[in-house]
Amino acid sequence: MATDDCIFCKIVNREIPTEFLYENDRLVVFKDINPLAPIHLLLVPKEHIRGINDIADGEWDIVTELVMTAKDMAAKMSVDKSGYRLFFNVEKGGGQEVFHLHLHLIGGWE
Ligand code: AMP
Ligand code: ZN
């Protein structure tokens, strides 16, 4: 898919207005529009990478940064102690619908 057609590239480029809960040079964090839990955040690299199967050698640092940022966001959202889940959906069979790498953070259950 061309990055022109990619909904997360449009969010990153602010063509689709979305509130960022966190942003730095390499990634953004925003709420999932269709939450699976009381807290459901998406952590999205600014660079268009199609998914986990498409990360090139030398690009894996972004995965560490996504996970570290997720840990910090869990604390910021006060679900670090109660607990949370982090996951990547990979390809259609794994539930991936948006083909721009993203890490899900869900939590906040009673
Ligand atoms: P996945 O199934 O892993 O590809 O996850 C894609 C996620 O993106 C889904 O949970 C959608 O609810 C979410 N999503 C799609 N469009 C938007 C949007 N415009 N803003 C926020 N989240 C979105
Ligand atoms: Zn993209």
Side-chain angles (χ1 to χ4, degrees):
M1 181 194 282
T3 56
D4 287 356
D5 303 325
C6 172
I7 190 165
F8 285 180
C9 282
K10 287 184 176 155
I11 288 174
V12 165
N13 296 330
R14 299 181 188 279
E15 289 165 52
I16 298 175
T18 302
E19 183 193 352
F20 294 154
L21 280 64
Y22 177 75
E23 177 179 17
N24 67 22
D25 288 350
R26 294 165 301 282
L27 62 86
V28 298
V29 181
F30 51 90
K31 288 184 181 167
D32 196 294
I33 206 168
N34 185 20
L36 301 174
I39 303 287
H40 188 166
L41 306 186
L42 298 173
L43 296 99
V44 179
K46 288 189 170 177
E47 187 184 347
H48 181 86
I49 299 169
R50 183 179 167 281
I52 283 285
N53 282 345
D54 303 277
I55 300 175
D57 292 350
E59 278 184 340
W60 285 94
D61 285 358
I62 189 64
V63 175
T64 302
E65 189 164 7
L66 291 171
V67 176
M68 288 176 69
T69 305
K71 186 204 76 169
D72 292 343
M73 291 305 300
K76 197 168 165 182
M77 305 305 282
S78 304
V79 298
D80 53 328
K81 297 291 188 288
S82 56
Y84 57 96
R85 282 182 58 205
L86 303 179
F87 59 95
F88 294 95
N89 292 330
V90 184
E91 304 294 348
K92 277 204 169 70
Q96 187 173 5
E97 291 177 354
V98 176
F99 288 86
H100 178 134
L101 184 68
H102 53 281
L103 175 61
H104 293 258
L105 186 170
I106 62 173
W109 307 277
E110 286 300 311

